[in-house]
Amino acid sequence: SFPTRRSSDLIIYHLEKIIAQKTLIDINYLMPPKKTYQTIKHSFDKYGLEKLKPVYEALAGQYSYVDLKLVRLNLMNKKNKK
């Protein structure tokens, strides 16, 4: 069965906790298509990683919060590598 929004949020919540502890994990397989990823990444570069709403609004609601959260997690994970 397809995961519900609630289960997706729970998974993302746990991934955020793991990454916040500076633990590196491979989440590339969870990323949206490359073009979507790049568009969302560009908005995070402009508005920062702290809040989702400015990015969501800048993209006119075109992408789901799940996609935004996943891209943000990946960017935070890459930041931890440095």
Side-chain angles (χ1 to χ4, degrees):
S1 70
F2 190 79
T4 63
R5 181 171 184 262
R6 186 172 175 172
S7 63
S8 297
D9 286 344
L10 183 61
I11 292 166
I12 290 170
Y13 169 80
H14 287 292
L15 289 171
E16 287 172 338
K17 293 291 181 191
I18 291 167
I19 290 171
Q21 295 173 358
K22 307 251 187 250
T23 302
L24 298 176
I25 56 174
D26 181 7
I27 57 172
N28 289 322
Y29 66 96
L30 297 172
M31 292 304 107
K34 188 173 184 172
K35 184 176 179 184
T36 299
Y37 179 90
Q38 291 299 326
T39 301
I40 295 171
K41 179 189 177 300
H42 178 72
S43 286
F44 275 118
D45 290 344
K46 185 174 181 180
Y47 295 99
L49 297 173
E50 295 76 30
K51 296 186 184 249
L52 294 170
K53 190 171 183 177
V55 173
Y56 183 80
E57 289 176 348
L59 297 171
Q62 188 175 5
Y63 302 100
S64 72
Y65 271 101
V66 170
D67 282 344
L68 297 182
K69 288 176 183 179
L70 288 171
V71 172
R72 179 173 72 172
L73 277 173
N74 200 42
L75 295 171
M76 291 167 68
N77 197 36
K78 287 180 178 183
K79 205 173 180 183
N80 287 344
K81 285 183 182 180
K82 295 179 181 181

